[in-house]
Amino acid sequence: MENIQNFQLLWFFLIAFLFLGYALLDGFDLGIGILLPFVGKSKEEKDILINSIGPVWDGNEVWLVTGTGALFAAFPHAYATALSGFYPAMLLVLFALIFRAVSMEFRAHDEGRAWLWEKALLAGSGLATLLFGVALGNVIYGVPLDYKMEFTGSIFTLLRPVPLLFGVVALAAILMQGASYAVLKTEDELQLRCRRALGIILWVNMATAAVYFVVMAFIFPSLLSNALFYVAILLSMLGLAEILFSLRNENDQALFWKSSLFFLGLWIAATAAHFPNLIKSVDAPHLSITIYNGSTTLYTLQVMSVIALTGMPIVISYTIFVYRIFKGKVQARHY
Amino acid sequence: MDALILARLQFAFTVGFHFLFPAMTLGTSLVILFSETLYLVKKEVVYRKITDFLARLLGLIFVVGTATGITMEFSFGMNWSGYSRVVGDIFGPILAAEAVIAFFLEAVFIGVLIFGRNKVSPRVYWLSALLVFVGGHLSAFWILAANSWMQTPAGYEITATGKIVLSSFSQALLNPSTVIRFFHTVMASWMTCAIMIAGIAGYYVRKGLHGETAKMMLKIGIILFAVTPLVQLSLGHLHAIQVIETQPEKAAAMEGLFETTKGAPLYLAGYVDQQNEKTYGIYIPRMLSFLYNFNSNSEIKGLREFPKDNWPPVNLVFQAYHVMVGVGMLAIFMGLLGLFLLIKNKLFETNKYLYVLPFLIPLPHIAHETGWIAAEVGRQPWIIYKLMKTADGASVVVSANQLVFSLIMFFLIYSLLFAMFAYLFFKIVKNGPEE
């Protein structure tokens, strides 16, 4: 394992894993943030929905912090190019995440303006989700880069149709994470409404996923000879079918895992298409930032591997412990 | 204005704003751990009420801290991509390790602290308080290690192509200034919280609100308020010695010392005229040399030892440093006065003192902000001391126009956050602990 390429490979997958963890976990927080005004009718129902994510969203967001930190440590050029190149978009991501975070706390204490903070939660969650999708779409589809690895496009580069499609696919998938988690945590009429929302979102995802896989195969013809691509499609279809069955049988226990399975399929397809690129150069493949030309040194990758491979199992263990504390249906009051 | 100045202003503003919140978090997690430990041992309900009240405040503080903290992690890539490309090898792993080892712990268990009182046993609740405390302080350690590496870099090599690569992770992490700056900053945070709690409880006691809970809070607050500034005095002293030894230009700027002097004076207050290289003000002769190594004739290096283009803005560093020290001295006096009143059993009746206490709450924030300005501006023109200039660290592709826009947006949004934070902070304080 002295070979640096092994570690570059390892870190590509570890970062993909960290961002996947972020998408699945904070995904349901963001999804519920968007769904809140549509499925929660009374103040009490909205309280229940927010309390379902209240104790855990903070920890979930750390997956993003960790993924970004890991990107900085393992592939600083990808980190530097994407964040400085996509400056206006990243700025919006930050503002969206700020409002998403504070709006729940402000709403709890500032009852008179609860409506305002619910709007901020909706806008923050929705915008963050959409922009994460667009950003990912850009690095996968490719952006113009110069020989110094700097981004040479503009804001309009970022808003091309393919990256926008990624944004829409992400939004639909994250809504499904939120709706399935909401069904798990709610009861009675509110649950019924969440289940109905999930039913609609399910069909939307069937459409967006179909377009997504077709477009991916079209942009990356090599995927057609890659077994992973078919595994990905299979997993996504399985996830959707399972959700459909669960909804029919009113079995909500494993809904969240099924939705996550669907997302995993999307993620595997994206990862398979992207590897070994980190940021693809759209018109000159040799200018792409890859895991081979964008990484830190072997020693840094080794240090990071020790930290991540011992640290993350511990993190995951206590995260499960805390989720178990808050398992079950949620009540309106907590303080 | 050029992009570099704007990028620096934006970083200073966003990190200065963010710093307000972790500075409250650490001390608050300490007092929560303390009162929850007493609750677990003594089973007296007053301690539980203190924990619950502080947990509610912590929820608000932590959320604004988290929200503004993500800005910082993104900003190295967004605004300082030149820096990020060079230091990924060293600065990157420290930030990533902070998330894995510390921030996860704090963020996951703070959920239990705020929402879990009735969901877990008292022991598990206590454990959560402990883990939030540990997570927060570990987090401070990693962040300060990263920042200290910029002040006194170690554990690196420069390759033939001019890249800075890691050669020893432990040396980079425990570089010459990490440990002292960690303790100095943690103590600043404990002091911040001590004064915050004493201020809030002082208000309650003076108004006759919340009975025993308020009095117990005041007691805890005053004891911490008396102890922390004194400990900080010695930590600050040790830190100053470290700066004199490892970053002499910064030390000279803090003291407004231009000429290398045997028996250097200590300025209490003054003004530095950088153009004419003169410092005016009230000073104690030979005191700086004496404080350095208890020898009033020892030699302290002046700014003229170093090339002029490597000087920081001297007056700003001097003023910031002196404001910090001044506030620290005032805190020592007020803390000891409180302790004296407490020992004499007069604390709860001395309305004048109780009246002043809440107005002291912003003081430690002024101290840690100015201290931080002295530390960071004092390092200029370097982004990594003697390795890389700040000007070489900025993002190439981010234009001045983009920066004007983002700076205005940050200013507006953070102003809103601050207004809401202050409003809700007062509201939670007004509602007070459970009766």
Side-chain angles (χ1 to χ4, degrees):
Chain A
M1 283 289 274
E2 281 299 299
N3 190 341
I4 187 166
Q5 290 191 1
N6 293 328
F7 283 93
Q8 290 164 331
L9 210 66
L10 172 69
W11 274 96
F12 179 83
F13 291 110
L14 278 178
I15 289 169
F17 170 74
L18 290 170
F19 284 130
L20 173 68
Y22 174 70
L24 295 181
L25 294 174
D26 207 27
F28 71 73
D29 303 325
L30 293 165
I32 287 180
I34 304 169
L35 286 169
L36 184 80
F38 303 105
V39 293
K41 293 292 169 202
S42 62
K43 181 188 175 294
E44 197 195 328
E45 287 182 352
K46 287 174 184 169
D47 284 350
I48 291 174
L49 287 165
I50 288 185
N51 287 349
S52 75
I53 59 175
V56 293
W57 74 263
D58 245 326
N60 295 341
E61 202 176 72
V62 183
W63 287 82
L64 174 68
V65 177
T66 310
T68 312
L71 188 66
F72 190 174
F75 305 113
H77 289 294
Y79 167 82
T81 300
L83 285 163
S84 63
F86 305 173
Y87 192 79
M90 290 299 150
L91 202 60
L92 281 180
V93 167
L94 283 179
F95 296 152
L97 286 177
I98 287 172
F99 278 110
R100 187 286 289 259
V102 299
S103 59
M104 289 181 271
E105 186 73 17
F106 288 178
R107 180 187 173 277
H109 297 291
D110 188 27
E111 291 95 350
R113 272 179 289 261
W115 60 272
L116 179 67
W117 301 120
E118 284 158 17
K119 288 218 163 55
L121 180 62
L122 166 68
S125 305
L127 195 61
T129 308
L130 193 69
L131 288 169
F132 281 134
V134 173
L136 206 61
N138 271 297
V139 298
I140 292 174
Y141 181 57
V143 291
L145 296 174
D146 67 12
Y147 71 100
K148 284 179 168 169
M149 296 185 175
E150 299 285 3
F151 175 77
T152 57
S154 70
I155 183 134
F156 300 105
T157 317
L158 302 178
L159 299 175
R160 289 162 300 167
V162 173
L164 283 180
L165 170 71
F166 270 76
V168 174
V169 172
L171 193 59
I174 291 310
L175 277 172
M176 196 152 80
Q177 287 295 99
S180 56
Y181 194 77
V183 173
L184 182 71
K185 304 300 277 185
T186 55
E187 297 170 285
D188 307 328
E189 204 178 325
L190 176 59
Q191 190 191 33
L192 204 68
R193 239 177 281 127
C194 293
R195 203 177 275 143
R196 224 176 286 147
L198 180 58
I200 300 167
I201 293 164
L202 176 69
W203 290 103
V204 174
N205 271 288
M206 285 185 187
T208 54
V211 175
Y212 169 78
F213 284 117
V214 170
V215 168
M216 285 299 270
F218 192 73
I219 306 173
F220 301 99
S222 65
L223 279 177
L224 292 172
S225 52
N226 188 339
L228 272 178
F229 185 57
Y230 299 100
V231 172
I233 295 176
L234 204 69
L235 289 178
S236 284
M237 280 170 55
L238 191 67
L240 290 174
E242 287 271 357
I243 294 175
L244 191 63
F245 277 123
S246 303
L247 281 175
R248 292 260 160 88
N249 305 332
E250 301 202 355
N251 163 18
D252 41 74
Q253 273 320 307
L255 266 182
F256 178 69
W257 295 110
K258 292 163 188 168
S259 174
S260 300
L261 192 65
F262 166 73
F263 192 91
L264 181 65
L266 302 181
W267 197 254
I268 290 175
T271 313
H274 200 38
F275 180 84
N277 286 336
L278 295 166
I279 302 177
K280 193 182 163 195
S281 160
V282 73
D283 35 33
H286 66 284
L287 294 179
S288 294
I289 302 174
T290 70
I291 61 171
Y292 305 119
N293 69 11
S295 89
T296 43
T297 56
L298 176 63
Y299 176 51
T300 293
L301 293 176
Q302 285 171 330
V303 169
M304 287 282 298
S305 302
V306 172
I307 292 171
L309 296 176
T310 51
M312 282 316 288
I314 299 172
V315 168
I316 292 169
S317 314
Y318 64 64
T319 302
I320 293 172
F321 172 74
V322 168
Y323 268 82
R324 291 175 70 98
I325 291 174
F326 293 102
K327 76 167 187 236
K329 303 292 180 189
V330 180
Q331 309 302 318
R333 276 203 57 79
H334 58 263
Y335 288 121
Chain B
M1 266 199 273
D2 74 299
L4 179 65
I5 302 270
L6 289 164
R8 286 180 61 189
L9 270 177
Q10 180 164 309
F11 194 84
F13 176 67
T14 51
V15 81
F17 187 87
H18 171 64
F19 196 12
L20 297 172
F21 300 92
M24 289 186 261
T25 308
L26 296 188
T28 309
S29 74
L30 169 76
V31 180
I32 286 179
L33 178 63
F34 183 66
S35 64
E36 198 52 26
T37 306
L38 287 174
Y39 178 58
L40 198 68
V41 175
K42 293 189 172 179
K43 308 259 184 304
E44 284 168 26
V45 75
V46 55
Y47 298 113
R48 203 205 64 196
K49 286 180 185 169
I50 293 176
T51 308
D52 289 353
F53 172 66
L54 291 177
R56 227 173 308 149
L57 278 181
L58 184 63
L60 179 66
I61 295 165
F62 188 74
V63 93
V64 184
T66 310
T68 54
I70 292 200
T71 304
M72 302 332 302
E73 204 202 25
F74 275 45
S75 69
F76 300 111
M78 287 171 69
N79 296 108
W80 303 100
S81 67
Y83 171 74
S84 302
R85 287 180 203 280
V86 173
V87 298
D89 228 57
I90 301 173
F91 198 81
I94 300 180
L95 278 196
E98 187 269 341
V100 174
I101 293 171
F103 191 33
F104 258 124
L105 194 64
E106 187 184 16
V108 167
F109 282 96
I110 210 158
V112 182
L113 210 55
I114 293 164
F115 292 88
R117 173 63 93 182
N118 302 318
K119 295 241 171 205
V120 295
S121 68
R123 273 165 195 278
V124 172
Y125 194 81
W126 175 84
L127 185 69
S128 304
L130 174 70
L131 293 175
V132 168
F133 171 83
V134 171
H137 286 75
L138 279 177
S139 174
F141 173 79
W142 288 97
I143 297 297
L144 281 155
N147 181 253
S148 296
W149 186 81
M150 299 164 80
Q151 305 282 354
T152 51
Y156 66 91
E157 274 168 18
I158 297 177
T159 64
T161 53
K163 277 197 68 175
I164 301 172
V165 299
L166 184 63
S167 65
S168 162
F169 188 60
S170 56
Q171 279 178 26
L173 199 61
L174 297 172
N175 64 71
S177 62
T178 299
V179 174
I180 184 62
R181 295 179 82 235
F182 169 70
F183 283 111
H184 187 54
T185 310
V186 165
M187 202 47 62
S189 169
W190 289 9
M191 202 169 122
T192 303
C193 175
I195 299 178
M196 180 177 92
I197 289 179
I200 293 170
Y203 167 78
Y204 290 155
V205 170
R206 188 172 63 85
K207 292 274 175 186
L209 298 166
H210 308 298
E212 282 308 305
T213 317
K215 285 183 178 161
M216 182 55 75
M217 256 174 75
L218 185 55
K219 240 190 200 166
I220 297 171
I222 288 295
I223 291 170
L224 262 180
F225 186 8
V227 175
T228 50
L230 279 177
V231 178
Q232 188 67 310
L233 183 65
S234 14
L235 290 171
H237 175 71
L238 292 174
H239 184 23
I241 291 174
Q242 171 257 314
V243 175
I244 291 173
E245 279 167 1
T246 59
Q247 292 176 283
E249 307 91 314
K250 192 206 276 187
M254 284 169 166
E255 298 293 353
L257 190 68
F258 286 95
E259 197 61 56
T260 299
T261 315
K262 284 187 175 155
L266 181 81
Y267 278 87
L268 299 178
Y271 171 79
V272 182
D273 181 354
Q274 187 166 352
Q275 210 85 57
N276 298 314
E277 300 180 17
K278 279 213 164 69
T279 305
Y280 309 94
I282 317 159
Y283 60 88
I284 307 173
R286 294 175 180 275
M287 193 61 181
L288 179 59
S289 287
F290 178 75
L291 284 177
Y292 170 51
N293 60 1
F294 300 111
N295 172 0
S296 58
N297 276 321
S298 60
E299 182 181 281
I300 307 284
K301 280 202 176 122
L303 279 162
R304 286 194 197 118
E305 297 271 334
F306 310 95
K308 245 185 207 181
D309 32 327
N310 288 349
W311 290 8
V314 184
N315 191 44
L316 177 57
V317 176
F318 177 94
Q319 299 302 349
Y321 175 72
H322 281 81
V323 169
M324 176 194 74
V325 173
V327 171
M329 294 302 158
L330 181 61
I332 290 176
F333 172 74
M334 290 304 290
L336 288 178
L337 181 62
L339 187 67
F340 172 77
L341 291 170
L342 181 69
I343 291 170
K344 288 270 167 192
N345 256 327
K346 284 182 187 159
L347 179 62
F348 301 142
E349 289 81 42
T350 312
N351 272 338
K352 270 185 198 155
Y353 183 76
L354 297 180
Y355 182 84
V356 173
L357 269 180
F359 294 102
L360 301 180
I361 292 177
L363 278 186
H365 288 287
I366 294 172
H368 69 66
E369 292 287 336
T370 48
W372 171 77
I373 290 171
E376 299 297 294
V377 177
R379 191 193 61 227
Q380 301 302 328
W382 305 101
I383 192 165
I384 311 164
Y385 183 58
K386 289 197 172 162
L387 282 182
M388 186 183 194
K389 289 265 170 84
T390 307
D392 299 326
S395 294
V396 192
V397 299
V398 178
S399 69
N401 284 341
Q402 283 177 324
L403 278 159
V404 169
F405 173 74
S406 59
L407 190 54
I408 292 173
M409 288 303 290
F410 272 117
F411 180 74
L412 292 176
I413 290 174
Y414 280 18
S415 302
L416 173 72
L417 287 190
F418 188 77
M420 276 310 296
F421 173 81
Y423 168 66
L424 296 179
F425 187 92
F426 281 123
K427 198 167 170 182
I428 294 173
V429 167
K430 219 178 141 202
N431 288 337
E434 185 193 334
E435 286 299 336

